[in-house]
Every structure is written in C-alpha cells, then in structure tokens.
Amino acid sequence: MRSRTVAVVGGGCAGVLATRELLRCSDDRVVLIEPDEPGGGLAYGSARPWHLLNSRAGAMSADPDDPADFARWAGVAPSSFAPRTVYGSYLRDVFARTAAAYGDRLSVVRDRAQRVDPGLIYTEKSGHIAVDEIVVATGNPGAAQPAALDGHPDYLADPWRPGALEAIPSDAPVLLVGAGLTAVDVVLTLTADGNRDAPITAVSRRGQLPLTHTDQAAPPSDLSLDEPGTLRDLVRRVRRAAADTGDWRAVVDGLRPSIDRLWGNLTPAEQDAFLRHLARPWECHRHRMAPSVGARVATLREEGRLEVRAGGIRSMTAPPAGGLLVELEAGVQWFGAVVNCAGPGRLPAAAGSFVRSLLDDGHARLGPHGLGLDIDAGGRLVGADGRARDNLWLIGPLRRGARWETTAVPEIRTQARALIDRAK
Ligand SMILES: Cc1cc2nc3c(=O)[nH]c(=O)nc-3n(C[C@H](O)[C@H](O)[C@H](O)COP(=O)(O)OP(=O)(O)OC[C@H]3O[C@@H](n4cnc5c(N)ncnc54)[C@H](O)[C@@H]3O)c2cc1C
C-alpha cells in the first residue's frame, strides 16, 4: 500500500499524540497544521506555575505502551500531581523527539486551517494543501457565555487570554461565573502573589466546587454494571456501591472504563436528564483537584477571601463609573471584574471557524446535544447526509456527546493509537 498524507489539524495534546502515533506506527506522511508551537493547547499552553494537573502523573503518559513515561521523564512519583507547565514541556519534548526521529515524513505548517474540500485543506496563509486524510484535533468548543456583556472591559469572556487576570486590580472584588476547575485555576492566579485584598465570589447553579483527590489513590472498585437498566437504576447502583465500599472515589474511578458504554446505552431523554441534573455533580466527583490545590482553596474560603454561592445571574449592567453591577439571588452587588469560567459551550454557537465550516459544508453534523460532532464507531466524522466520511477523523474533546469520556489524556492517547488501525 502506498503511504498516505494525513493532515492533523491542531497541534495541542491530541494533535501531538496523533502525529506521534501516525509516524511511529505507519508509513504515513503527516502535515501538522497548528498556528502556535505544537504541544501547547488550552490546558498546557496557558498554564501558570501554580496550576497542577488534576490527574496523577502515572495517568499522563503520551505512550499507550509505556504508562510510566511521563512520571519518569518528569522525575516525579506516579501518584503525584505535577504542574501543568511541566506537562506542556513534556508534550513539546515528545513532539521534538518525534520530529527528530521521523522528520523526513513530517511537515509542520504554522497556520490555521479554514475549510476542507475532498483531497484538499485550505489554510489562512498557505493556500491549499493536498492530503489523503484529515484528523481534526482542534480541542474544545469555545467557552459558553452565560452572562456575556460583550466588549465591556471589565467582563472577561476568556479567562485564558494572556495577561487578562493580572490586569485586574487587587482591590477590585471579582465575580467568577462558574465554580468548576476553570474557576479554581482563576482563583489560584488571582491570589498567587498574595496581594489581593478584595474578595472573590464564585457563583454557579449549584454552588459546588470540584472535590479533592486523596494523597494516595485507592484501587478502583470493580463494579459489574453489565445488566441493562435505566438511568435511575444506574444512579441507584452507583450510590449503593459508594455506600457499601465507603469510598466514592474508588467507585468513580472504577466506572471510568465503562462510562462510554453506559452513556451510549441511555436514551436521548435520559442523556438530556443526566446533562440537566447529574452532569455537574458527576464532574465534581470525576475531575478532582490535586490535594494541595484543594487545601489552598479551603484556606481561602476559611479566610473569607473566596465565597462560593449557588444561584444564577439575573442581570448585569455597566455603571458609568466602571465595573459591573450584577444582580445575584442575594441582591445587586458591584464587582470590579466579572470573569467567565463557564467551561465549553454547545455547538453550533460555540464552534470555532474551522468546525463551523465543516458543519456548513456538510462534512460534519452535530453530535448528541450539541456537545460535539457526530462520529461513527471508528471515529470518522458523520456528515450532514448521515454518512461517515472515509477520510475525515475526529479525536479529542469534540467527540463529547457521541462519547462521554473523551477529554482526558488516557482516552486521547487511545484514540490517537486507534487511528493507525483505521480502514486501509
Ligand atoms: C484547564 C485544563 C486542565 C486539564 N487538566 C487535565 C489533567 O490534569 N489530566 C488530563 O488527563 N486531562 C486534563 N485536561 C483535559 C485534556 O488534557 C485537554 O482537554 C486536552 O489538552 C485536549 O487536547 P486537544 O489537543 O484536543 O485540545 P488543545 O490542547 O486545546 O489543542 C487544540 C489545538 O488546536 C489548534 N487549533 C484550533 N483550531 C485550529 C485550526 N483551525 N487550525 C489549526 N489549528 C487549530 C489550537 O491552536 C490548539 O493548539 C485539562 C483540560 C483543561 C482545559
């Protein structure tokens, strides 16, 4: 078989892992299209030194055949929580080693893909590139905007924009819209230099922060959830297992390999009910803070420097003197800055321009609930006509909806490896 040219669109975590697998395990040539340095991306490219991984180092290897690779590379214990900046350096090193070993079959195009035609991919600056296949690895949809006041200087729609948080005066009270891991990252940055004397308030529908890992992980519980059942049955069984074992973390970790199957077995109405009522509590239990981060957040709350409230934002107005007046459940309050920490939004509204073009041109269609794009069992994009596209593959967070567990490194490296088994 002749070797193919595969374009990998996006050089974040998923794009780097896909590039590595394709070059190492096949004869394919790879054209990696990424505007920034490969190995950055949202999670690892914009992290600050105080942002830790929320997974243990032993879970973060880039190599599906060598689970200890990252912990060994970083010189840390597999049970520890390394800084995300270190993980970013690791990914860049993985990419550099891949480029050194297989450079004759790799080209990197520092550009942004715009759209695709059969056999062609168009980029912003480089015109078009002829390719046989395309792997879409462009990361999460854009952020949800639950309380946007577009364009107002004191409303930060994107907390990851370099320098945005540092520009907030330390005597300005800050409102965070959302209380998940993004909000925790923002709290750590706002309080990193110890000079902040104004309080931070985080507001979310349930007022629930992520829970915390223990220092040492208990072995995952082996739950047999093979009998079919409703969402209600499933929740009951999981709650009972957590009560019986006395360790909900082991139960949550034990469920992970079955999550996609369980999600896929739910009816659309059950999936919808899960998203409305259970997804947030599930995420709080599943995506946990490192112990030292949890301790820091607890201290900030005890000291009254961080308050977490349940409820919504009823209105937000901009007084002439600056800042924002926000109507919360408890009344109207003034904040010097409001930071959107709501996490990824739904498609099509939250689609970046490349994903939007895939949808507009019929190469892709929305996946369940607009959480991502639709794929077939092998990871090919399903087009507007309902047929899987032979030459278009999707990996990473945009599989959400068609799958559930698809955003973390262990799942992404498995998806990257599966690309080499794709139909010849
Ligand atoms: C804050 C945070 C912390 C996380 N912590 C952990 C953790 O501890 N453990 C864990 O397992 N997982 C963690 N994750 C999840 C996971 O690792 C990330 O979701 C993962 O980085 C996704 O990789 P990706 O390549 O799909 O997306 P990204 O890393 O975001 O990369 C997408 C890339 O695509 C590029 N791109 C976008 N559009 C185009 C275009 N049109 N043309 C060319 N390039 C384009 C972007 O420039 C970017 O580099 C975390 C996620 C976040 C957000």
Side-chain angles (χ1 to χ4, degrees), residues 221-233:
S221 295
D222 186 10
L223 288 187
S224 37
L225 291 169
D226 292 337
E227 323 135 43
T230 62
L231 175 62
R232 197 181 288 270
D233 295 333

Side-chain angles (χ1 to χ4, degrees), residues 67-416:
D69 188 59
F70 169 61
R72 206 171 44 240
W73 181 92
V76 298
S79 61
S80 67
F81 296 86
R84 293 214 303 269
T85 49
V86 172
Y87 195 72
S89 303
Y90 169 68
L91 283 180
R92 287 190 292 279
D93 187 54
V94 165
F95 184 74
R97 282 184 279 146
T98 303
Y102 307 102
D104 54 330
R105 288 190 283 124
L106 170 68
S107 354
V108 180
V109 177
R110 289 289 285 264
D111 203 349
R112 189 168 279 281
Q114 282 183 312
R115 65 184 184 86
V116 304
D117 264 348
L120 290 176
I121 183 156
Y122 292 83
T123 68
E124 268 175 18
K125 295 181 292 197
S126 325
H128 62 266
I129 303 166
V131 294
D132 299 304
E133 299 187 65
I134 296 169
V135 177
V136 177
T138 51
N140 277 294
Q145 297 293 338
L149 206 67
D150 277 343
H152 191 282
D154 297 322
Y155 176 78
L156 270 65
D158 176 10
W160 308 110
R161 189 162 50 79
L165 296 174
E166 287 78 356
I168 300 175
S170 58
D171 59 354
V174 177
L175 178 69
L176 310 184
V177 184
L181 287 167
T182 303
V184 171
D185 276 358
V186 170
V187 167
L188 296 180
T189 298
L190 289 175
T191 58
D193 64 6
N195 292 333
R196 161 155 290 276
D197 38 29
I200 302 169
T201 305
V203 66
S204 75
R205 200 153 53 94
R206 293 168 179 271
Q208 240 178 338
L209 282 171
L211 293 159
T212 307
H213 282 282
T214 46
D215 283 327
Q216 295 299 325
S221 295
D222 186 10
L223 288 187
S224 37
L225 291 169
D226 292 337
E227 323 135 43
T230 62
L231 175 62
R232 197 181 288 270
D233 295 333
L234 183 60
V235 172
R236 201 177 301 127
R237 276 186 263 168
V238 170
R239 288 206 170 119
R240 194 180 317 125
D244 290 349
T245 60
D247 185 350
W248 59 263
R249 290 179 182 82
V251 172
V252 168
D253 296 348
L255 274 172
R256 187 162 173 179
S258 318
I259 290 293
D260 280 349
R261 180 175 53 79
L262 295 170
W263 168 255
N265 285 344
L266 298 178
T267 64
E270 286 176 318
Q271 289 184 345
D272 195 51
F274 175 83
L275 290 171
R276 271 185 289 123
H277 305 298
L278 295 170
R280 181 71 194 127
W282 168 257
E283 300 284 281
C284 286
H285 288 76
R286 161 71 186 84
H287 297 283
R288 308 192 279 272
M289 293 184 272
S292 61
V293 173
R296 169 93 179 123
V297 168
T299 303
L300 291 168
R301 293 181 82 178
E302 278 157 27
E303 292 173 352
R305 297 162 70 197
L306 169 65
E307 189 192 354
V308 183
R309 291 197 209 160
I313 290 180
R314 295 184 177 161
S315 67
M316 198 154 67
T317 51
L324 290 158
L325 279 172
V326 184
E327 187 181 0
L328 300 167
E329 311 274 319
V332 176
Q333 207 174 324
W334 181 86
F335 294 96
V338 176
V339 184
N340 179 29
C341 302
R346 302 245 186 144
L347 303 179
S353 57
F354 178 66
V355 168
R356 183 170 289 280
S357 82
L358 292 174
L359 290 166
D360 289 348
D361 296 342
H363 298 307
R365 69 177 183 186
L366 296 184
H369 317 284
L371 296 169
L373 298 175
D374 203 9
I375 51 168
D376 73 357
R380 291 181 189 83
L381 280 173
V382 173
D385 56 5
R387 287 189 304 116
R389 295 293 184 265
D390 276 345
N391 300 330
L392 275 175
W393 304 83
L394 176 69
I395 62 170
L398 281 172
R399 285 192 181 189
R400 241 301 151 83
R403 306 284 180 273
W404 184 263
E405 275 292 348
T406 185
T407 59
V409 168
E411 283 74 26
I412 290 175
R413 72 179 174 227
T414 305
Q415 294 170 11

Side-chain angles (χ1 to χ4, degrees), residues 19-42:
T19 299
R20 176 177 187 273
E21 294 301 320
L22 289 165
L23 290 171
R24 235 169 41 118
C25 305
S26 76
D27 295 331
D28 294 338
R29 286 185 298 275
V30 174
V31 180
L32 176 65
I33 304 173
E34 162 64 51
D36 300 318
E37 187 185 356
L42 180 62

